[in-house]
Coordinates of all heavy atoms in Angstrom, one line a residue:
Chain X
Q29 N 1.2 -7.6 -16.3 CA 1.2 -8.1 -17.7 C 2.2 -9.3 -17.8 O 3.3 -9.2 -17.3 CB 1.4 -7.1 -18.7 CG 0.4 -6.0 -18.8 CD 0.6 -5.0 -20.0 OE1 0.9 -3.9 -19.8 NE2 0.5 -5.6 -21.2
S30 N 1.8 -10.2 -18.6 CA 2.7 -11.3 -19.0 C 2.5 -11.8 -20.4 O 1.3 -11.7 -20.9 CB 2.6 -12.5 -18.0 OG 1.3 -13.1 -18.1
P31 N 3.5 -12.3 -21.1 CA 4.9 -12.2 -20.7 C 5.4 -10.7 -20.9 O 4.7 -9.9 -21.5 CB 5.6 -13.1 -21.7 CG 4.7 -13.0 -22.9 CD 3.3 -12.9 -22.4
R32 N 6.6 -10.4 -20.4 CA 7.2 -9.1 -20.6 C 7.8 -9.0 -22.0 O 7.8 -7.9 -22.6 CB 8.3 -8.8 -19.6 CG 7.9 -8.6 -18.2 CD 7.0 -7.4 -18.1 NE 7.5 -6.2 -18.8 CZ 8.5 -5.4 -18.4 NH1 9.0 -5.6 -17.2 NH2 8.9 -4.3 -19.1
H33 N 8.3 -10.1 -22.5 CA 8.8 -10.2 -23.9 C 8.3 -11.4 -24.6 O 8.2 -12.5 -23.9 CB 10.4 -10.2 -23.9 CG 10.9 -9.0 -23.2 ND1 11.2 -7.8 -23.8 CD2 11.3 -8.9 -21.9 CE1 11.7 -7.0 -22.9 NE2 11.8 -7.6 -21.7
E34 N 8.0 -11.3 -25.9 CA 7.6 -12.4 -26.7 C 8.2 -12.3 -28.1 O 8.0 -11.3 -28.7 CB 6.1 -12.5 -26.7 CG 5.5 -13.6 -27.6 CD 5.3 -14.9 -26.9 OE1 5.4 -14.9 -25.6 OE2 5.0 -15.9 -27.5
V35 N 8.9 -13.4 -28.4 CA 9.4 -13.4 -29.8 C 8.9 -14.7 -30.4 O 9.0 -15.8 -29.9 CB 11.0 -13.5 -29.8 CG1 11.5 -13.5 -31.3 CG2 11.5 -12.2 -29.1
T36 N 8.3 -14.6 -31.6 CA 7.7 -15.7 -32.2 C 7.7 -15.5 -33.7 O 7.9 -14.4 -34.2 CB 6.2 -15.9 -31.7 OG1 5.8 -17.2 -32.2 CG2 5.3 -14.9 -32.3
E37 N 7.4 -16.6 -34.4 CA 7.5 -16.6 -35.9 C 6.1 -16.2 -36.5 O 5.1 -16.6 -35.9 CB 8.0 -17.9 -36.4 CG 9.4 -18.2 -36.1 CD 10.0 -19.4 -36.8 OE1 9.1 -20.2 -37.4 OE2 11.2 -19.6 -36.8
M38 N 6.2 -15.6 -37.6 CA 5.0 -15.2 -38.3 C 4.0 -16.4 -38.5 O 4.5 -17.6 -38.7 CB 5.3 -14.7 -39.7 CG 4.2 -14.2 -40.5 SD 4.7 -13.5 -42.1 CE 5.2 -14.9 -43.0
G39 N 2.8 -16.2 -38.2 CA 1.8 -17.3 -38.4 C 1.4 -17.9 -37.1 O 0.4 -18.6 -37.0
Q40 N 2.2 -17.7 -36.1 CA 1.9 -18.4 -34.8 C 0.9 -17.6 -34.0 O 0.7 -16.4 -34.2 CB 3.2 -18.5 -33.9 CG 4.3 -19.3 -34.5 CD 3.8 -20.8 -34.6 OE1 3.4 -21.4 -33.7 NE2 3.9 -21.3 -35.8
E41 N 0.2 -18.3 -33.1 CA -0.8 -17.6 -32.2 C 0.0 -17.0 -31.1 O 0.9 -17.6 -30.5 CB -1.8 -18.6 -31.7 CG -2.8 -17.9 -30.7 CD -3.9 -18.9 -30.3 OE1 -4.8 -19.3 -31.1 OE2 -3.8 -19.3 -29.1

Side-chain angles (χ1 to χ4, degrees):
Chain X
Q29 292 188 246
S30 65
R32 289 297 316 278
H33 303 272
E34 175 88 10
V35 180
T36 191
E37 292 188 348
M38 183 175 74
Q40 297 296 307
E41 178 179 289

